[in-house]
Amino acid sequence: MSAVLSTVNLGVERTGPWVSEVGRSGIDKRPVEHRVTARTWGLEGDLVANLKVHGGPNKAVYAFAREDARFWVEELGREVGPGAFGENFSTLGVDITNAEVGERWAIGDAVFEVIRARKPCKVFAGYWDVPDLVKRFIAHGAPGAYLRVLQEGSVGAGDPVEIIHRPGHGVTVGLMLRALTTERHLLPRFLDAPEMLPKHHEKARRWLAQQQEAESAST
């Protein structure tokens, strides 16, 4: 299957007891038929309610594979449509879990860079009304990826997704999620990926320092 952008999804305002302290959420993303301009800060027309944890250059666009959505259809026994994960891009034929940090995709007139795995939050669990969703989402290990916008431009449903650069260091989106959650011994692998955000490199260095301190104390 060729890799394509299945849908572009933009947020609409939602409120409820599960929203964050800002009192509203843009997690409900819905497909649009028109082309959308990708800017360095995000997609034009997208609602990002809590700017502390969403949006901005390092979380400009969230991509999730429709192939990974099928697991949740079977797991929950209900339809999970495009945008249901809060994703801006629903893709087909893209192995997002095994995409490397720093991988670059050309879509439409724009160029994107895979920058980090998505760590789910309680807002996501509340929106789906699945209390243990965060734990189950992490255990499944297919988190989707946040993208930077390296070259602004328009994108639309049906655009091919072309991988134009793959770093080759092997630090994938799936590995990153595991390192940040259940397999912290993988944190030093972050240092193999120069494209990773400095705060994640620092997290890896702190983990290594703690291990060295523990080893010194035991000898």
Side-chain angles (χ1 to χ4, degrees):
M1 176 189 294
S2 59
V4 298
L5 185 57
S6 178
T7 61
V8 176
N9 315 303
L10 301 181
V12 298
E13 183 175 294
R14 290 290 300 272
T15 60
W18 44 268
V19 299
S20 65
E21 66 274 6
V22 299
R24 62 185 189 134
S25 173
I27 195 172
D28 185 2
K29 310 290 187 190
R30 301 184 184 179
V32 295
E33 296 182 359
H34 59 275
R35 298 189 67 79
V36 175
T37 301
R39 302 294 188 190
T40 56
W41 45 263
L43 299 184
E44 287 190 351
D46 188 33
L47 171 65
V48 179
N50 190 346
L51 294 172
K52 291 182 180 179
V53 293
H54 296 293
N58 296 321
K59 290 185 177 180
V61 177
Y62 175 45
F64 197 86
R66 290 305 298 160
E67 292 88 347
D68 292 328
R70 292 172 189 153
F71 169 85
W72 293 102
V73 172
E74 296 179 4
E75 181 78 1
L76 300 177
R78 70 191 197 196
E79 184 59 34
V80 181
F85 297 84
E87 80 271 24
N88 300 109
F89 288 173
S90 299
T91 65
L92 282 170
V94 183
D95 187 355
I96 296 179
T97 302
N98 288 310
E100 292 182 344
V101 175
E103 189 170 298
R104 295 179 182 179
W105 304 347
I107 308 174
D109 301 322
V111 175
F112 303 86
E113 181 181 45
V114 175
I115 191 60
R116 59 184 295 171
R118 184 253 192 102
K119 282 182 65 179
C121 62
K122 62 182 181 180
V123 171
F124 181 36
Y127 170 55
W128 275 27
D129 194 24
V130 178
D132 63 345
L133 180 61
V134 170
K135 181 178 179 180
R136 292 163 70 176
F137 193 82
I138 290 171
H140 181 54
Y146 281 111
L147 311 176
R148 279 175 167 168
V149 179
L150 298 184
Q151 175 181 304
E152 296 185 341
S154 71
V155 295
D159 284 350
V161 178
E162 180 184 1
I163 299 173
I164 59 174
H165 172 69
R166 187 169 171 87
H169 48 59
V171 181
T172 66
V173 168
L175 184 149
M176 185 177 186
L177 176 71
R178 285 155 41 215
L180 291 172
T181 55
T182 58
E183 300 179 45
R184 297 183 68 79
H185 65 277
L186 294 174
L187 283 170
R189 290 292 312 279
F190 287 4
L191 301 176
D192 295 334
E195 303 88 350
M196 191 166 281
L197 295 174
K199 71 175 186 178
H200 291 123
H201 282 160
E202 182 57 31
K203 187 182 289 287
R205 293 190 182 96
R206 286 200 305 269
W207 188 89
L208 283 170
Q210 291 167 359
Q211 299 308 302
Q212 291 171 353
E213 290 176 4
E215 289 175 6
S216 298
S218 64
T219 58

